[in-house]
Amino acid sequence: MPPILGPGFHDVPNDHIATVVTSLEMRAAPAPRPEYPASDLRLALWRDPDPGAYRALFRLVGEDWLWCSRLLMTDEKLTSIIHDSRVEIRRLDTPEGSGLLELDFRTDGECELAFFGLSAGLVGSGTGRWMMNRALEIAWSRPLSRLWVHTCTMDHPGAVGFYRRSGFVPFRCQIEIMPDPRISGLLPETAAPHIPCLPVLPG
C-alpha cells in the first residue's frame, strides 16, 4: 500500500500534535531477561476497576507521555473495556510509585499489550524489566500465536529499544495526528514538557 504522506515536511495545526507510532510483535515466548529489583514486588490483578480509579492510575503513569485515549472515553465506553473478562489489568504499587499493565485478549489467539507504564519515581529503577518479564509470562501462559504492542515518539525515548530487547520485532510505522490534550484542558499545560505546546493562532 503506498504511503498516504509523501516525502517532505507536512504542517500540523498548532492545536494538534503529531507522533510516529511503531508497532512491534513477537510470535513465540522469548527467554526471560535478567531482572532486578527483588521479588517483593507484586503485580496485583485488578478486577473490574472503578472508572475513576482507573483514570487516576492512567494519568499517574501516562501524563508525562500525553496518554489521553482513555480520558476521552465516557464511563460507559471505558467500563465496557476494563470490565471485559478478556481484558486483564494489573497494577503495581510501591512506596516509590505505581505501574499499570493491561493485556487485551479480545482477539482469538492474540494478545495486545495495550498499556504498560510506570510512574516517574520508578522509571530507570529496573522495575520495568521486572514488570515486562511478568507481562510476558502472563500473556504466553495462554495459547497465543502473537503478542503485540505499539509505542510512539511521545513515549519514553527508550521505549522502542526496551521492547526490542524484550523480544518484540517492529512491523509497522504510522503517523498519528490528534488534538493536543493540553489545549483542551484534558491534561495540564505542564504535561510532557518535551513536546512543544504551540500557541493557538486566532481563526
Side-chain angles (χ1 to χ4, degrees), residues 115-191:
F115 292 101
F116 180 96
L118 300 170
S119 61
L122 292 175
V123 174
S125 68
T127 306
R129 168 55 49 206
W130 179 90
M131 194 163 82
M132 176 57 75
N133 281 355
R134 303 292 82 74
L136 296 177
E137 289 170 0
I138 295 165
W140 288 107
S141 69
R142 303 196 184 194
L144 298 182
S145 60
R146 177 176 180 255
L147 172 64
W148 74 282
V149 64
H150 70 265
T151 185
C152 71
T153 48
M154 294 192 299
D155 282 335
H156 190 286
V160 170
F162 175 78
Y163 288 126
R164 295 185 74 174
R165 290 191 299 274
S166 300
F168 290 92
V169 177
F171 71 92
R172 181 174 62 200
C173 282
Q174 298 168 293
I175 303 293
E176 181 180 12
I177 298 174
M178 64 181 186
D180 190 328
R182 298 166 296 186
I183 298 291
S184 66
L186 188 65
L187 291 174
E189 291 183 8
T190 53

Side-chain angles (χ1 to χ4, degrees), residues 53-65:
Y54 176 92
R55 288 194 188 96
L57 179 59
F58 187 89
R59 279 180 178 271
L60 178 66
V61 170
E63 186 171 292
D64 285 346
W65 318 112

Side-chain angles (χ1 to χ4, degrees), residues 5-35:
L5 296 177
F9 293 93
H10 303 273
D11 287 340
V12 176
N14 279 19
D15 59 349
H16 283 59
I17 47 178
T19 183
V20 178
V21 179
T22 301
S23 295
L24 308 96
E25 66 180 2
M26 61 173 67
R27 298 283 180 166
R33 289 179 56 81
E35 66 183 44

Side-chain angles (χ1 to χ4, degrees), residues 97-119:
S98 299
L100 170 65
L101 169 65
E102 187 169 325
L103 297 167
D104 188 338
F105 295 95
R106 288 179 293 174
T107 299
D108 289 343
E110 293 190 4
C111 175
E112 179 186 1
L113 180 55
F115 292 101
F116 180 96
L118 300 170
S119 61

Side-chain angles (χ1 to χ4, degrees), residues 39-51:
S39 59
D40 58 344
L41 294 175
R42 181 169 177 264
L43 197 56
L45 184 61
W46 199 12
R47 297 186 186 277
D48 300 337
D50 172 78

